[in-house]
PDB file of all heavy atoms in Angstrom:
ATOM      1  N   ARG A  10     120.092  91.371  86.155  1.00  0.00           N
ATOM      2  CA  ARG A  10     118.670  91.588  86.461  1.00  0.00           C
ATOM      3  C   ARG A  10     117.769  90.506  85.883  1.00  0.00           C
ATOM      4  O   ARG A  10     116.820  90.064  86.541  1.00  0.00           O
ATOM      5  CB  ARG A  10     118.248  92.959  85.929  1.00  0.00           C
ATOM      6  CG  ARG A  10     116.948  93.487  86.510  1.00  0.00           C
ATOM      7  CD  ARG A  10     116.697  94.878  85.988  1.00  0.00           C
ATOM      8  NE  ARG A  10     117.807  95.772  86.309  1.00  0.00           N
ATOM      9  CZ  ARG A  10     118.076  96.900  85.662  1.00  0.00           C
ATOM     10  NH1 ARG A  10     117.318  97.266  84.632  1.00  0.00           N
ATOM     11  NH2 ARG A  10     119.100  97.657  86.022  1.00  0.00           N
ATOM     12  N   GLY A  11     118.054  90.050  84.678  1.00  0.00           N
ATOM     13  CA  GLY A  11     117.212  89.031  84.066  1.00  0.00           C
ATOM     14  C   GLY A  11     117.240  87.726  84.838  1.00  0.00           C
ATOM     15  O   GLY A  11     116.207  87.058  85.000  1.00  0.00           O
ATOM     16  N   LEU A  12     118.421  87.359  85.331  1.00  0.00           N
ATOM     17  CA  LEU A  12     118.551  86.147  86.147  1.00  0.00           C
ATOM     18  C   LEU A  12     117.679  86.243  87.388  1.00  0.00           C
ATOM     19  O   LEU A  12     116.930  85.318  87.715  1.00  0.00           O
ATOM     20  CB  LEU A  12     120.017  85.966  86.549  1.00  0.00           C
ATOM     21  CG  LEU A  12     120.318  84.911  87.616  1.00  0.00           C
ATOM     22  CD1 LEU A  12     120.130  83.515  87.042  1.00  0.00           C
ATOM     23  CD2 LEU A  12     121.741  85.084  88.147  1.00  0.00           C
ATOM     24  N   VAL A  13     117.761  87.378  88.078  1.00  0.00           N
ATOM     25  CA  VAL A  13     116.998  87.543  89.313  1.00  0.00           C
ATOM     26  C   VAL A  13     115.501  87.574  89.026  1.00  0.00           C
ATOM     27  O   VAL A  13     114.701  86.976  89.756  1.00  0.00           O
ATOM     28  CB  VAL A  13     117.445  88.821  90.050  1.00  0.00           C
ATOM     29  CG1 VAL A  13     116.679  88.967  91.368  1.00  0.00           C
ATOM     30  CG2 VAL A  13     118.941  88.805  90.315  1.00  0.00           C
ATOM     31  N   ALA A  14     115.122  88.254  87.950  1.00  0.00           N
ATOM     32  CA  ALA A  14     113.699  88.320  87.606  1.00  0.00           C
ATOM     33  C   ALA A  14     113.141  86.940  87.294  1.00  0.00           C
ATOM     34  O   ALA A  14     111.990  86.629  87.648  1.00  0.00           O
ATOM     35  CB  ALA A  14     113.498  89.252  86.418  1.00  0.00           C
ATOM     36  N   SER A  15     113.936  86.086  86.654  1.00  0.00           N
ATOM     37  CA  SER A  15     113.442  84.734  86.355  1.00  0.00           C
ATOM     38  C   SER A  15     113.245  83.925  87.625  1.00  0.00           C
ATOM     39  O   SER A  15     112.309  83.118  87.714  1.00  0.00           O
ATOM     40  CB  SER A  15     114.397  84.016  85.404  1.00  0.00           C
ATOM     41  OG  SER A  15     115.606  83.623  86.033  1.00  0.00           O
ATOM     42  N   VAL A  16     114.102  84.143  88.617  1.00  0.00           N
ATOM     43  CA  VAL A  16     113.930  83.479  89.910  1.00  0.00           C
ATOM     44  C   VAL A  16     112.656  83.974  90.590  1.00  0.00           C
ATOM     45  O   VAL A  16     111.872  83.189  91.134  1.00  0.00           O
ATOM     46  CB  VAL A  16     115.162  83.697  90.804  1.00  0.00           C
ATOM     47  CG1 VAL A  16     114.889  83.241  92.234  1.00  0.00           C
ATOM     48  CG2 VAL A  16     116.363  82.952  90.237  1.00  0.00           C
ATOM     49  N   ARG A  17     112.440  85.280  90.549  1.00  0.00           N
ATOM     50  CA  ARG A  17     111.192  85.824  91.127  1.00  0.00           C
ATOM     51  C   ARG A  17     109.974  85.204  90.457  1.00  0.00           C
ATOM     52  O   ARG A  17     109.025  84.777  91.147  1.00  0.00           O
ATOM     53  CB  ARG A  17     111.163  87.336  90.940  1.00  0.00           C
ATOM     54  CG  ARG A  17     109.843  87.989  91.402  1.00  0.00           C
ATOM     55  CD  ARG A  17     109.606  89.316  90.718  1.00  0.00           C
ATOM     56  NE  ARG A  17     109.590  89.174  89.260  1.00  0.00           N
ATOM     57  CZ  ARG A  17     109.728  90.194  88.410  1.00  0.00           C
ATOM     58  NH1 ARG A  17     109.897  91.414  88.862  1.00  0.00           N
ATOM     59  NH2 ARG A  17     109.688  89.970  87.097  1.00  0.00           N
ATOM     60  N   ASP A  18     109.984  85.136  89.136  1.00  0.00           N
ATOM     61  CA  ASP A  18     108.830  84.587  88.417  1.00  0.00           C
ATOM     62  C   ASP A  18     108.602  83.120  88.784  1.00  0.00           C
ATOM     63  O   ASP A  18     107.461  82.683  88.999  1.00  0.00           O
ATOM     64  CB  ASP A  18     109.030  84.731  86.913  1.00  0.00           C
ATOM     65  CG  ASP A  18     109.022  86.177  86.455  1.00  0.00           C
ATOM     66  OD1 ASP A  18     108.586  87.046  87.244  1.00  0.00           O
ATOM     67  OD2 ASP A  18     109.467  86.450  85.324  1.00  0.00           O
ATOM     68  N   LEU A  19     109.680  82.354  88.840  1.00  0.00           N
ATOM     69  CA  LEU A  19     109.571  80.940  89.228  1.00  0.00           C
ATOM     70  C   LEU A  19     108.967  80.814  90.623  1.00  0.00           C
ATOM     71  O   LEU A  19     108.019  80.038  90.833  1.00  0.00           O
ATOM     72  CB  LEU A  19     110.963  80.309  89.186  1.00  0.00           C
ATOM     73  CG  LEU A  19     111.179  78.872  89.661  1.00  0.00           C
ATOM     74  CD1 LEU A  19     112.441  78.312  89.020  1.00  0.00           C
ATOM     75  CD2 LEU A  19     111.319  78.758  91.183  1.00  0.00           C
ATOM     76  N   GLU A  20     109.520  81.565  91.563  1.00  0.00           N
ATOM     77  CA  GLU A  20     109.068  81.428  92.944  1.00  0.00           C
ATOM     78  C   GLU A  20     107.649  81.950  93.125  1.00  0.00           C
ATOM     79  O   GLU A  20     106.869  81.395  93.915  1.00  0.00           O
ATOM     80  CB  GLU A  20     110.066  82.107  93.878  1.00  0.00           C
ATOM     81  CG  GLU A  20     111.441  81.425  93.823  1.00  0.00           C
ATOM     82  CD  GLU A  20     112.442  81.955  94.822  1.00  0.00           C
ATOM     83  OE1 GLU A  20     112.117  82.923  95.544  1.00  0.00           O
ATOM     84  OE2 GLU A  20     113.558  81.397  94.883  1.00  0.00           O
ATOM     85  N   ASP A  21     107.280  82.987  92.372  1.00  0.00           N
ATOM     86  CA  ASP A  21     105.893  83.454  92.410  1.00  0.00           C
ATOM     87  C   ASP A  21     104.948  82.379  91.877  1.00  0.00           C
ATOM     88  O   ASP A  21     103.834  82.200  92.396  1.00  0.00           O
ATOM     89  CB  ASP A  21     105.737  84.730  91.579  1.00  0.00           C
ATOM     90  CG  ASP A  21     106.302  85.965  92.272  1.00  0.00           C
ATOM     91  OD1 ASP A  21     106.660  85.873  93.463  1.00  0.00           O
ATOM     92  OD2 ASP A  21     106.386  87.011  91.612  1.00  0.00           O
ATOM     93  N   SER A  22     105.378  81.661  90.847  1.00  0.00           N
ATOM     94  CA  SER A  22     104.538  80.597  90.290  1.00  0.00           C
ATOM     95  C   SER A  22     104.296  79.495  91.303  1.00  0.00           C
ATOM     96  O   SER A  22     103.177  78.981  91.430  1.00  0.00           O
ATOM     97  CB  SER A  22     105.189  80.011  89.033  1.00  0.00           C
ATOM     98  OG  SER A  22     105.229  80.948  87.988  1.00  0.00           O
ATOM     99  N   VAL A  23     105.347  79.140  92.042  1.00  0.00           N
ATOM    100  CA  VAL A  23     105.201  78.088  93.048  1.00  0.00           C
ATOM    101  C   VAL A  23     104.278  78.551  94.170  1.00  0.00           C
ATOM    102  O   VAL A  23     103.398  77.803  94.627  1.00  0.00           O
ATOM    103  CB  VAL A  23     106.573  77.665  93.603  1.00  0.00           C
ATOM    104  CG1 VAL A  23     106.404  76.647  94.725  1.00  0.00           C
ATOM    105  CG2 VAL A  23     107.442  77.082  92.484  1.00  0.00           C
ATOM    106  N   ALA A  24     104.448  79.788  94.618  1.00  0.00           N
ATOM    107  CA  ALA A  24     103.585  80.312  95.676  1.00  0.00           C
ATOM    108  C   ALA A  24     102.128  80.354  95.227  1.00  0.00           C
ATOM    109  O   ALA A  24     101.215  79.992  95.981  1.00  0.00           O
ATOM    110  CB  ALA A  24     104.057  81.705  96.097  1.00  0.00           C
ATOM    111  N   ALA A  25     101.900  80.779  93.977  1.00  0.00           N
ATOM    112  CA  ALA A  25     100.529  80.871  93.465  1.00  0.00           C
ATOM    113  C   ALA A  25      99.884  79.501  93.310  1.00  0.00           C
ATOM    114  O   ALA A  25      98.665  79.363  93.459  1.00  0.00           O
ATOM    115  CB  ALA A  25     100.522  81.607  92.122  1.00  0.00           C
ATOM    116  N   ALA A  26     100.696  78.494  93.020  1.00  0.00           N
ATOM    117  CA  ALA A  26     100.154  77.146  92.805  1.00  0.00           C
ATOM    118  C   ALA A  26      99.892  76.397  94.104  1.00  0.00           C
ATOM    119  O   ALA A  26      99.187  75.383  94.106  1.00  0.00           O
ATOM    120  CB  ALA A  26     101.121  76.332  91.947  1.00  0.00           C
ATOM    121  N   THR A  27     100.465  76.881  95.193  1.00  0.00           N
ATOM    122  CA  THR A  27     100.334  76.179  96.466  1.00  0.00           C
ATOM    123  C   THR A  27      98.927  76.361  97.026  1.00  0.00           C
ATOM    124  O   THR A  27      98.430  77.484  97.146  1.00  0.00           O
ATOM    125  CB  THR A  27     101.384  76.687  97.470  1.00  0.00           C
ATOM    126  OG1 THR A  27     102.692  76.385  96.967  1.00  0.00           O
ATOM    127  CG2 THR A  27     101.203  76.038  98.832  1.00  0.00           C
ATOM    128  N   GLY A  28      98.291  75.258  97.354  1.00  0.00           N
ATOM    129  CA  GLY A  28      96.933  75.268  97.867  1.00  0.00           C
ATOM    130  C   GLY A  28      96.076  74.247  97.150  1.00  0.00           C
ATOM    131  O   GLY A  28      96.504  73.646  96.158  1.00  0.00           O
ATOM    132  N   ASP A  29      94.892  74.027  97.668  1.00  0.00           N
ATOM    133  CA  ASP A  29      93.969  73.055  97.055  1.00  0.00           C
ATOM    134  C   ASP A  29      94.623  71.682  96.906  1.00  0.00           C
ATOM    135  O   ASP A  29      94.468  71.008  95.883  1.00  0.00           O
ATOM    136  CB  ASP A  29      93.476  73.547  95.695  1.00  0.00           C
ATOM    137  CG  ASP A  29      92.654  74.825  95.796  1.00  0.00           C
ATOM    138  OD1 ASP A  29      91.960  75.006  96.813  1.00  0.00           O
ATOM    139  OD2 ASP A  29      92.721  75.645  94.863  1.00  0.00           O
ATOM    140  N   GLY A  30      95.397  71.307  97.919  1.00  0.00           N
ATOM    141  CA  GLY A  30      95.981  69.972  97.929  1.00  0.00           C
ATOM    142  C   GLY A  30      97.381  69.876  97.388  1.00  0.00           C
ATOM    143  O   GLY A  30      98.017  68.822  97.504  1.00  0.00           O
ATOM    144  N   LEU A  31      97.914  70.944  96.784  1.00  0.00           N
ATOM    145  CA  LEU A  31      99.278  70.919  96.246  1.00  0.00           C
ATOM    146  C   LEU A  31     100.192  71.765  97.125  1.00  0.00           C
ATOM    147  O   LEU A  31      99.930  72.952  97.346  1.00  0.00           O
ATOM    148  CB  LEU A  31      99.312  71.440  94.811  1.00  0.00           C
ATOM    149  CG  LEU A  31     100.678  71.376  94.129  1.00  0.00           C
ATOM    150  CD1 LEU A  31     101.087  69.924  93.880  1.00  0.00           C
ATOM    151  CD2 LEU A  31     100.678  72.152  92.812  1.00  0.00           C
ATOM    152  N   GLU A  32     101.262  71.165  97.614  1.00  0.00           N
ATOM    153  CA  GLU A  32     102.257  71.861  98.428  1.00  0.00           C
ATOM    154  C   GLU A  32     103.469  72.174  97.557  1.00  0.00           C
ATOM    155  O   GLU A  32     104.076  71.270  96.985  1.00  0.00           O
ATOM    156  CB  GLU A  32     102.687  70.994  99.608  1.00  0.00           C
ATOM    157  CG  GLU A  32     101.546  70.629 100.541  1.00  0.00           C
ATOM    158  CD  GLU A  32     101.993  69.688 101.644  1.00  0.00           C
ATOM    159  OE1 GLU A  32     102.871  68.831 101.383  1.00  0.00           O
ATOM    160  OE2 GLU A  32     101.456  69.803 102.761  1.00  0.00           O
ATOM    161  N   GLY A  33     103.829  73.459  97.474  1.00  0.00           N
ATOM    162  CA  GLY A  33     104.959  73.865  96.647  1.00  0.00           C
ATOM    163  C   GLY A  33     106.164  74.228  97.484  1.00  0.00           C
ATOM    164  O   GLY A  33     106.083  75.059  98.394  1.00  0.00           O
ATOM    165  N   LEU A  34     107.299  73.609  97.191  1.00  0.00           N
ATOM    166  CA  LEU A  34     108.554  73.913  97.864  1.00  0.00           C
ATOM    167  C   LEU A  34     109.572  74.385  96.833  1.00  0.00           C
ATOM    168  O   LEU A  34     109.734  73.760  95.769  1.00  0.00           O
ATOM    169  CB  LEU A  34     109.128  72.690  98.586  1.00  0.00           C
ATOM    170  CG  LEU A  34     108.494  72.299  99.918  1.00  0.00           C
ATOM    171  CD1 LEU A  34     107.152  71.597  99.689  1.00  0.00           C
ATOM    172  CD2 LEU A  34     109.428  71.394 100.707  1.00  0.00           C
ATOM    173  N   VAL A  35     110.243  75.478  97.139  1.00  0.00           N
ATOM    174  CA  VAL A  35     111.336  75.990  96.313  1.00  0.00           C
ATOM    175  C   VAL A  35     112.636  75.698  97.038  1.00  0.00           C
ATOM    176  O   VAL A  35     112.813  76.070  98.204  1.00  0.00           O
ATOM    177  CB  VAL A  35     111.190  77.504  96.085  1.00  0.00           C
ATOM    178  CG1 VAL A  35     112.434  78.056  95.394  1.00  0.00           C
ATOM    179  CG2 VAL A  35     109.948  77.813  95.274  1.00  0.00           C
ATOM    180  N   LEU A  36     113.549  75.024  96.367  1.00  0.00           N
ATOM    181  CA  LEU A  36     114.873  74.757  96.924  1.00  0.00           C
ATOM    182  C   LEU A  36     115.872  75.666  96.222  1.00  0.00           C
ATOM    183  O   LEU A  36     116.161  75.502  95.031  1.00  0.00           O
ATOM    184  CB  LEU A  36     115.260  73.286  96.728  1.00  0.00           C
ATOM    185  CG  LEU A  36     114.312  72.256  97.343  1.00  0.00           C
ATOM    186  CD1 LEU A  36     114.898  70.854  97.195  1.00  0.00           C
ATOM    187  CD2 LEU A  36     114.009  72.563  98.808  1.00  0.00           C
ATOM    188  N   ARG A  37     116.389  76.626  96.976  1.00  0.00           N
ATOM    189  CA  ARG A  37     117.391  77.543  96.431  1.00  0.00           C
ATOM    190  C   ARG A  37     118.776  76.945  96.679  1.00  0.00           C
ATOM    191  O   ARG A  37     119.366  77.098  97.752  1.00  0.00           O
ATOM    192  CB  ARG A  37     117.304  78.907  97.114  1.00  0.00           C
ATOM    193  CG  ARG A  37     116.130  79.762  96.725  1.00  0.00           C
ATOM    194  CD  ARG A  37     116.252  81.109  97.423  1.00  0.00           C
ATOM    195  NE  ARG A  37     115.156  82.006  97.114  1.00  0.00           N
ATOM    196  CZ  ARG A  37     114.968  83.183  97.711  1.00  0.00           C
ATOM    197  NH1 ARG A  37     115.816  83.595  98.651  1.00  0.00           N
ATOM    198  NH2 ARG A  37     113.947  83.943  97.374  1.00  0.00           N
ATOM    199  N   TYR A  38     119.302  76.280  95.677  1.00  0.00           N
ATOM    200  CA  TYR A  38     120.617  75.660  95.814  1.00  0.00           C
ATOM    201  C   TYR A  38     121.716  76.718  95.793  1.00  0.00           C
ATOM    202  O   TYR A  38     121.623  77.730  95.086  1.00  0.00           O
ATOM    203  CB  TYR A  38     120.870  74.680  94.675  1.00  0.00           C
ATOM    204  CG  TYR A  38     119.905  73.529  94.583  1.00  0.00           C
ATOM    205  CD1 TYR A  38     119.140  73.338  93.434  1.00  0.00           C
ATOM    206  CD2 TYR A  38     119.766  72.621  95.620  1.00  0.00           C
ATOM    207  CE1 TYR A  38     118.263  72.269  93.327  1.00  0.00           C
ATOM    208  CE2 TYR A  38     118.882  71.555  95.521  1.00  0.00           C
ATOM    209  CZ  TYR A  38     118.135  71.380  94.377  1.00  0.00           C
ATOM    210  OH  TYR A  38     117.267  70.332  94.274  1.00  0.00           O
ATOM    211  N   GLY A  39     122.793  76.438  96.548  1.00  0.00           N
ATOM    212  CA  GLY A  39     124.005  77.223  96.426  1.00  0.00           C
ATOM    213  C   GLY A  39     124.804  76.778  95.218  1.00  0.00           C
ATOM    214  O   GLY A  39     124.308  76.079  94.331  1.00  0.00           O
ATOM    215  N   PHE A  40     126.078  77.164  95.166  1.00  0.00           N
ATOM    216  CA  PHE A  40     126.940  76.784  94.048  1.00  0.00           C
ATOM    217  C   PHE A  40     127.302  75.305  94.187  1.00  0.00           C
ATOM    218  O   PHE A  40     127.922  74.894  95.170  1.00  0.00           O
ATOM    219  CB  PHE A  40     128.220  77.629  94.042  1.00  0.00           C
ATOM    220  CG  PHE A  40     127.987  79.078  93.731  1.00  0.00           C
ATOM    221  CD1 PHE A  40     127.951  80.023  94.749  1.00  0.00           C
ATOM    222  CD2 PHE A  40     127.804  79.506  92.427  1.00  0.00           C
ATOM    223  CE1 PHE A  40     127.746  81.369  94.466  1.00  0.00           C
ATOM    224  CE2 PHE A  40     127.589  80.844  92.133  1.00  0.00           C
ATOM    225  CZ  PHE A  40     127.557  81.789  93.150  1.00  0.00           C
TER     226      PHE A  40
END
């Protein structure tokens, strides 16, 4: 659960930062 929650927090941060001239992309790498 902690691993997944950290991914959610990271991706939420990128989504929240996107706008006002900054484009946020999250790359979910495989193994």
Side-chain angles (χ1 to χ4, degrees):
R10 197 176 303 158
L12 169 72
V13 182
S15 73
V16 169
R17 175 203 57 197
D18 293 345
L19 175 157
E20 297 186 356
D21 285 351
S22 293
V23 176
T27 297
D29 296 328
L31 184 68
E32 300 176 325
L34 283 76
V35 172
L36 302 186
R37 286 184 180 173
Y38 299 121
F40 292 101

